[in-house]
Amino acid sequence: MYKSRMKIWEASLLLALCFSLCLGTWAQAKQSSLSSSLVRLHVIAVSDDEYEQALKLRVRDGVLSYISPKLRNAKSAQQAQEIIKSELDGIKAAAESSAEGRSVEVTLSQEYYPTRNYEKFSLPAGKYQSLRVILGEGEGHNWWCVVFPPLCISAAEQEQVMESMSEDMRGIVTEEDGREYKFRILELWGELMELIGV
């Protein structure tokens, strides 16, 4: 009797473990697919002083004015990354022209983001390629959006970009068709990966 209970318990545990591994593999594949199709923009202010926060937004506008036209013809996130890499000096100069003498550091690297809700969609927590602009000590609140595809834009333009996404990607980043559970799984997976340092 005891042995048969142990076998049921062991089988249940094994089944739960297999399910968790399959779910984790699915979440990792979806997160990687989503992450590889985006390049995010992250601007970090010197401090939380009201003036520095306003200056951060002017720097953001300068960076977007410079890089957005150059990314207009990019067909993929990889192509957008190559353009950004080749334009890092120009991006830095654009940021410096609005930074009023603050030091500016510009990099393109992978960075962890928490879940972010935009007007028309949300992006789950996880690691994404990021154009990062740090002003001074970079100790203030930050601002972020998606520079490719161009989602640092108006709601009407966001609608156009959403229409250009695949149905699968739209289903992950929006709640349409009752697919909110997919987003939540990706969100939890991204947070778990950040927690364990992967």
Side-chain angles (χ1 to χ4, degrees):
M1 180 77 167
Y2 176 75
K3 283 186 176 180
S4 68
R5 278 192 198 155
M6 280 301 288
K7 287 181 182 176
I8 291 170
W9 181 82
E10 288 171 346
S12 299
L13 186 61
L14 184 60
L15 188 61
L17 180 63
C18 289
F19 178 76
S20 297
L21 288 172
C22 289
L23 191 62
T25 302
W26 175 86
Q28 182 64 46
K30 289 294 180 183
Q31 173 61 41
S32 295
S33 175
L34 185 59
S35 176
S36 68
S37 65
L38 303 173
V39 180
R40 299 182 77 166
L41 172 63
H42 190 187
V43 183
I44 306 169
V46 172
S47 71
D48 285 337
D49 174 79
E50 190 177 333
Y51 188 83
E52 295 297 339
Q53 287 294 308
L55 183 69
K56 166 192 75 180
L57 297 179
R58 291 194 292 276
V59 169
R60 168 205 65 188
D61 292 343
V63 168
L64 286 173
S65 292
Y66 178 82
I67 198 62
S68 294
K70 298 182 182 320
L71 294 175
R72 193 164 284 134
N73 295 323
K75 302 294 183 208
S76 68
Q78 292 72 27
Q79 194 176 14
Q81 288 172 36
E82 291 305 315
I83 293 167
I84 290 168
K85 279 181 198 171
S86 70
E87 294 290 341
L88 286 176
D89 290 339
I91 295 166
K92 183 175 181 179
E96 286 172 339
S97 70
S98 303
E100 298 181 6
R102 277 90 174 150
S103 64
V104 174
E105 181 184 345
V106 176
T107 59
L108 179 65
S109 59
Q110 196 167 65
E111 184 179 7
Y112 174 80
Y113 286 84
T115 297
R116 175 74 167 123
N117 298 310
Y118 294 92
E119 236 178 279
K120 299 278 183 186
F121 64 97
S122 299
L123 289 176
K127 290 188 176 179
Y128 295 85
Q129 277 298 314
S130 180
L131 171 57
R132 197 166 196 223
V133 180
I134 304 172
L135 303 174
E137 297 78 31
E139 295 177 354
H141 276 90
N142 55 48
W143 180 92
W144 55 66
C145 73
V146 179
V147 75
F148 181 87
L151 300 177
C152 307
I153 50 180
S154 71
E157 291 170 309
Q158 281 185 31
E159 191 68 43
Q160 291 173 350
V161 172
M162 290 300 292
E163 287 173 8
S164 71
M165 283 185 174
S166 72
E167 185 178 333
D168 191 39
M169 284 300 137
R170 260 198 323 272
I172 291 170
V173 301
T174 66
E175 295 179 12
E176 66 184 34
D177 297 333
R179 297 182 188 179
E180 186 176 2
Y181 70 93
K182 284 185 178 180
F183 178 85
R184 187 66 182 136
I185 291 169
L186 289 180
E187 183 180 35
L188 291 171
W189 182 258
E191 289 170 1
L192 176 65
M193 292 299 99
E194 178 62 13
L195 186 67
I196 62 175
V198 173

